Amino acid sequence: MHRRGLGGKPTHGLEDYISDCVIHLTHTFDGEIGTRHMRIVKYRGSVHGLNRYPFLINERGISIFPITSLKLDYSVSREVISTGIPDLDDMLGGGIYRGSSVLISGTTGAGKTTLLSKFAYEACRRGERCLYFANEEPSDQVIRNMESVGIHLKDYIGEGLMIHADRPTSLGLESHLTEMQDLVLDFKPDTVLVDPVTGLAAAGGPSHRASNAKNLFIRFTDFLKSRGVTSLFTYLIRSPATATKTELEISSLIDTWIVLEHVRTNGDYKRLLRILKSRGMNHSSSIAELRFTERGILLKGGSW
């Protein structure tokens, strides 16, 4: 153990010099959010890491998080799967690749959660296991609201669908990441959904909110891709003027980006959908009107 000097910094006594391995453990706070860190100061005869690594102690033991993502050496699937919306499949050039990552961004009320829930419902209909992280709504509220547009998630609860509702701020960023990864390891889903991923920024601490949340996003998406898990995320855009930007700067990390927008025409508001990118797919560059009807989710082509 280290003695603490002025300013709370560890003093370097005789123990440091005679020891072969020195490990510093710290507990820091960013605002009200606390994080444990580990740093290997020295380890004779070893090429050790020099960074500070966040770590967590829970019922599973000690989890140490690398500050960078996994190596990009995992294999990818060539199988194309449906979104559950035929019109959207057509715009995407057939659907999305299994194991890819999808971002659905838009302002409040644009239909992000509805599209995400339709993806989940279609995955369950295929007999897949689906893990849904709801960061802003209780699970029963998600189920009730989706029933109004004909998406009956309740049919698959306990039969392949798990909805985990929890605010990231209740745990802190590293703890929340650990809980998410533990649930993935336990439930073994084919598809993971996060609604919204912007909720992670609030748990990142006030000083480095965006950068911390981005690092978590990188690590989590690589964690899912290395296991062949299809991932879908919603992202709340604060203003239509920033529809093609993300404050967390994660757009370059995902494979398919769907943008939803509200526009006013002749006194009425319409929902519009466009595909900003879809890697490896011959997707449409047109803009379509998004409609939620008793016949399901429809897309109507047009020029706006």
Side-chain angles (χ1 to χ4, degrees):
M1 295 183 65
H2 276 283
R3 298 182 296 274
R4 312 298 291 187
L6 294 176
K9 294 182 179 181
T11 61
H12 297 279
L14 178 62
E15 299 94 335
D16 278 10
Y17 299 103
I18 66 174
S19 299
D20 294 316
C21 182
V22 177
I23 300 174
H24 282 178
L25 303 180
T26 58
H27 192 186
T28 59
F29 284 84
D30 191 355
E32 300 299 321
I33 299 171
T35 304
R36 291 185 173 98
H37 288 91
M38 174 185 298
R39 184 168 71 93
I40 301 174
V41 178
K42 77 171 186 179
Y43 186 16
R44 289 173 178 157
S46 171
V47 182
H48 60 82
L50 300 177
N51 300 309
R52 272 198 325 163
Y53 298 94
F55 74 97
L56 184 73
I57 303 173
N58 59 17
E59 63 277 2
R60 288 178 177 261
I62 299 176
S63 300
I64 301 175
F65 307 103
I67 61 170
T68 54
S69 58
L70 301 172
K71 290 184 179 180
L72 301 177
D73 57 359
Y74 45 76
S75 61
V76 297
S77 174
R78 267 71 175 173
E79 179 186 357
V80 176
I81 57 177
S82 173
T83 64
I85 307 169
D87 292 339
L88 181 55
D89 286 343
D90 290 342
M91 290 186 67
L92 286 165
I96 60 174
Y97 283 116
R98 182 178 297 282
S100 64
S101 56
V102 180
L103 180 68
I104 306 171
S105 65
T107 54
T108 299
K112 301 182 299 299
T113 299
T114 303
L115 255 64
L116 192 81
S117 298
K118 184 62 176 177
F119 282 28
Y121 185 77
E122 181 66 16
C124 291
R125 285 186 59 192
R126 290 194 295 264
E128 299 175 7
R129 295 176 68 79
C130 184
L131 178 55
Y132 190 138
F133 291 102
N135 290 334
E136 293 186 345
E137 296 180 84
S139 58
D140 200 44
Q141 183 171 309
V142 174
I143 292 170
R144 181 202 65 189
N145 292 348
M146 291 305 103
E147 287 176 348
S148 66
V149 289
I151 302 173
H152 301 285
L153 297 177
K154 188 175 182 180
D155 295 346
Y156 294 102
I157 295 292
E159 298 293 333
L161 173 63
M162 175 191 288
I163 300 179
H164 179 79
D166 193 11
R167 293 191 186 277
T169 49
S170 66
L171 295 173
L173 201 58
E174 300 297 345
S175 298
H176 193 71
L177 172 61
T178 300
E179 183 179 44
M180 293 171 74
Q181 290 183 339
D182 286 349
L183 283 169
V184 171
L185 293 173
D186 291 340
F187 191 66
K188 296 178 174 58
D190 301 286
T191 302
V192 166
L193 309 100
V194 181
D195 182 34
V197 71
T198 36
L200 301 175
S207 298
H208 304 92
R209 212 160 258 184
S211 61
N212 290 343
K214 180 181 178 180
N215 288 337
L216 181 146
F217 185 84
I218 294 172
R219 285 148 53 188
F220 189 57
T221 52
D222 281 350
F223 169 78
L224 295 176
K225 282 192 170 187
S226 68
R227 287 161 175 78
V229 177
T230 307
S231 56
L232 300 103
F233 308 88
T234 64
Y235 192 102
L236 177 63
I237 298 297
R238 300 185 184 278
S239 167
T242 60
T244 58
K245 298 180 181 179
T246 56
E247 294 173 355
L248 301 185
E249 298 179 350
I250 60 175
S251 58
S252 63
L253 305 172
I254 52 91
D255 300 307
T256 297
W257 187 2
I258 300 171
V259 177
L260 306 181
E261 298 178 77
H262 267 132
V263 297
R264 186 173 182 178
T265 58
N266 300 323
D268 295 325
Y269 280 96
K270 297 181 184 293
R271 294 184 176 96
L272 301 183
L273 179 150
R274 56 177 164 152
I275 300 167
L276 215 58
K277 72 172 183 179
S278 190
R279 290 171 176 160
M281 303 297 293
N282 185 22
H283 64 86
S284 171
S285 58
S286 64
I287 299 176
E289 181 184 352
L290 176 64
R291 295 180 178 179
F292 301 134
T293 73
E294 64 278 0
R295 294 186 294 120
I297 300 175
L298 304 177
L299 292 173
K300 177 184 176 183
S303 177
W304 306 89

